[in-house]
Amino acid sequence: MASFASMKIDELNVLENSLNDRLDKFKRMNLNLNMSRGVPCTEQLDIASDMLNLINKDSSFKAEDGVDCRSYGDLAGIPEAVRLFAGMFEVGLNEIIIGGNSSLNLMYDTMLRAMYFEVVGSEKPWSKNEKVKFICPVPGYDRHFSICEGLGIEMITVGMTPDGPDVDEIEKLVADDDSIKGIWCVPKYSNPEGIIYSDETVTRLAAMKTMASDFRIFWDNAYAFHSLSDESKQLKNILSECKKAGNPNRVFIFGSTSKITFAGAGVSILASSEENIKLIKKQISIQTISFDKINQLRHVKYLKNIENVKDIMKKHAAIIKPKFDAVCDIFEKELSGKEIASWIKPNGGYFMSFNALDGCAKKIVAMAKEAGISMTPAGATYPYGNDPHDRNIRIAPTYPPLDELKTAIEVFCICVQIVSIWKHKKDNGGIKC
Ligand code: PLP
């Protein structure tokens, strides 16, 4: 198909009419399809359901160290869970805390503690400074931005490259502004672009000179095990790199089993240097006596070891990959050659990033909504919900069944084309839309 830019207004009008006919047909179906969040589908959740049978009233509730998992104790996690997750996230046994049901919760609390108490090496709580700023690679994860927004932390955006966030830019920013206290990173299958940070990016983030001596990297490794194919690029170990560079306390690593076992009912982790973990344990002990160790025990029995985790994730990929493939096939069929959109097909994670023509994303999402398709709001991938180009849309293909997903994406592509035609007509013929 010809690019829209090369088409005459008459040709665009004909095409618009036929697209409107297609859209009307879908509207008459009263669709109600949800592609707004990266949620596991029921079939995928079912994979872990056997985990619920691994503990019952006749089980031994004793952890390896003799602690009864039904009672208080082992604030940093039962030893077998510590060993399993330390192995999975490639850190030492004294460099990890096994938390509750949500890594986002750990991130929020970690930020709060830095704001109102201290991090190792800080002269005062961050909030006692006139300004606190955080670097936010964009497009990025809306809930990270909400944490900053809620706590009054100013967000500075930097662009993403195929190797991760633009480190040249980051190095310049952090070198001479001590109010920049940290950066959000989703280093593997970034949300939403699915990018894995290159070795060089990891090393430079770990080693860069920061004016703030208490600068922290919030390393949200939510998709550490979520490859869709066998050839997964390895992510360099950030904690080792920080240690090598003489910045051992620079990174807080987060992860969870939300998308390995049950979303919101899994186990989360916070890993960091021994010194950081020691302080955090002290701080957390005010907040809780211990996390849910029965869930930890259940997870250890179910996940067993890293090899088994990888096997489980292959079962997930068998469900998820056809969904990503279907989205890409429909994009290809409906949109390629028209020069109205670009997208990245990731090798893992939960999302795809879609760029429409500038100024079109909000209209596309609104039009899709009218046709019964809920997408992540346009702008959500930017701080304050403000995409300066109004072009980025996060696609979340994991939840709907394949048939529904195909319908939703077809409707979405029709909307993309209609709104792009409006833009071309407006730019070229002065026609109001
Ligand atoms: N981090 C990222 C990058 C995510 O995409 C998500 C969920 O979509 C989360 C964290 C939430 O993790 P949890 O369920 O462990 O709080």
Side-chain angles (χ1 to χ4, degrees):
M1 177 100 196
S3 84
F4 280 18
S6 70
M7 289 169 75
K8 301 203 174 73
I9 297 280
D10 286 352
E11 292 171 309
L12 289 173
N13 283 337
V14 172
L15 181 59
E16 187 183 349
N17 285 340
S18 78
L19 289 163
N20 274 321
D21 287 346
R22 280 174 73 192
L23 190 61
D24 285 343
K25 221 170 81 198
F26 282 115
K27 280 186 180 166
R28 285 195 292 274
M29 291 163 71
N30 290 325
L31 300 170
N32 183 14
L33 307 177
N34 193 338
M35 286 211 308
S36 62
R37 299 231 62 103
V39 183
C41 64
T42 312
E43 199 187 349
Q44 193 186 321
L45 295 168
D46 285 345
I47 293 174
S49 286
D50 283 346
M51 184 170 74
L52 298 172
N53 300 328
L54 296 177
I55 297 185
N56 60 40
K57 70 178 180 42
D58 300 320
S59 307
S60 162
F61 293 96
K62 288 264 156 72
E64 273 177 13
D65 57 359
V67 167
D68 189 326
C69 291
R70 297 169 299 182
S71 187
Y72 292 135
D74 280 343
L75 175 63
I78 56 174
E80 48 271 61
V82 167
R83 198 167 55 241
L84 172 65
F85 288 104
M88 284 168 65
F89 287 90
E90 298 173 329
V91 296
L93 299 179
N94 295 322
E95 294 173 334
I96 192 164
I97 293 171
I98 315 299
N101 69 320
S102 158
S103 61
L104 190 68
N105 195 167
L106 289 177
M107 292 176 227
Y108 186 77
D109 283 351
T110 305
M111 192 72 95
L112 263 184
R113 284 192 297 270
M115 288 292 279
Y116 291 102
F117 303 109
E118 57 177 322
V119 293
V120 172
S122 59
E123 286 164 15
K124 54 187 173 188
W126 289 355
S127 64
K128 295 272 188 239
N129 294 285
E130 205 180 307
K131 262 194 175 161
V132 182
K133 299 181 197 155
F134 240 67
I135 295 179
C136 298
V138 288
Y141 180 38
D142 53 349
R143 293 186 195 273
H144 290 163
F145 305 153
S146 300
I147 291 178
C148 286
E149 196 175 346
L151 297 176
I153 296 169
E154 202 178 295
M155 291 176 267
I156 306 171
T157 57
V158 298
M160 288 289 285
T161 76
D163 287 326
D166 182 342
V167 207
D168 291 341
E169 181 66 22
I170 294 167
E171 283 171 345
K172 272 190 230 137
L173 285 165
V174 298
D176 58 13
D177 185 346
D178 68 356
S179 66
I180 302 181
K181 294 294 185 190
I183 180 172
W184 285 110
C185 294
V186 182
K188 194 162 176 186
Y189 306 127
S190 63
N191 176 348
E193 289 178 303
I195 286 167
I196 301 182
Y197 290 16
S198 69
D199 289 356
E200 188 193 335
T201 300
V202 177
T203 303
R204 285 174 66 186
L205 288 172
M208 67 193 178
K209 287 212 169 15
T210 62
M211 195 169 180
S213 58
D214 49 359
F215 182 91
R216 289 293 183 274
I217 300 172
F218 278 52
W219 194 253
D220 179 359
N221 204 355
Y223 300 105
F225 301 94
H226 301 66
S227 305
L228 292 174
S229 67
D230 285 341
E231 359 114 15
S232 160
K233 202 167 96 184
Q234 284 295 308
L235 176 68
K236 208 168 192 184
N237 184 322
I238 181 85
L239 184 56
S240 304
E241 289 306 296
C242 286
K243 287 179 193 167
K244 264 190 239 160
N247 301 314
N249 297 323
R250 179 171 286 185
V251 67
F252 294 131
I253 301 168
F254 303 93
S256 80
T257 66
S258 272
K259 277 128 188 197
I260 297 176
T261 56
F262 298 140
V267 168
S268 62
I269 67 105
L270 164 52
S272 195
S273 67
E274 219 173 310
E275 198 180 1
N276 280 343
I277 291 293
K278 211 168 138 200
L279 173 63
I280 293 168
K281 267 201 250 176
K282 196 170 131 207
Q283 292 168 327
I284 286 185
S285 68
I286 313 280
Q287 191 182 13
T288 184
I289 305 174
S290 61
F291 293 102
D292 179 351
K293 295 188 296 300
I294 296 183
N295 205 25
Q296 291 177 24
L297 193 60
R298 208 187 266 132
H299 273 75
V300 172
K301 282 175 188 275
Y302 173 64
L303 296 175
K304 293 188 184 94
N305 52 51
I306 299 174
E307 284 318 306
N308 193 45
V309 171
K310 287 183 184 159
D311 286 345
I312 291 168
M313 296 315 285
K314 280 188 188 148
K315 291 184 196 162
H316 286 213
I319 297 167
I320 296 175
K321 187 169 183 299
K323 297 186 179 185
F324 277 85
D325 288 347
V327 173
C328 287
D329 289 349
I330 298 168
F331 281 171
E332 220 27 75
K333 183 168 151 239
E334 294 277 347
L335 305 175
S336 79
K338 296 178 181 172
E339 294 175 24
I340 54 173
S342 60
W343 56 91
I344 301 171
K345 184 176 184 184
N347 285 321
Y350 264 56
F351 302 101
M352 280 178 72
S353 181
F354 182 94
N355 278 330
L357 295 175
D358 283 14
C360 290
K362 281 202 174 85
K363 287 184 195 139
I364 293 168
V365 171
M367 191 183 279
K369 178 88 193 150
E370 244 180 70
I373 314 296
S374 303
M375 314 281 304
T376 310
T381 52
Y382 282 74
Y384 314 106
N386 179 23
D387 171 0
H389 297 281
D390 184 25
R391 70 176 173 213
N392 189 254
I393 300 171
R394 186 179 79 165
I395 311 286
T398 55
Y399 182 69
L402 192 54
D403 280 356
E404 287 184 11
L405 175 69
K406 286 180 182 169
T407 306
I409 293 294
E410 188 179 338
V411 174
F412 172 75
C413 287
I414 293 171
C415 299
V416 171
Q417 292 177 82
I418 294 174
V419 174
S420 305
I421 290 175
W422 289 355
K423 180 176 162 72
H424 277 295
K425 290 203 304 193
K426 190 175 174 203
D427 291 352
N428 299 318
I431 293 166
K432 202 162 168 273
C433 60

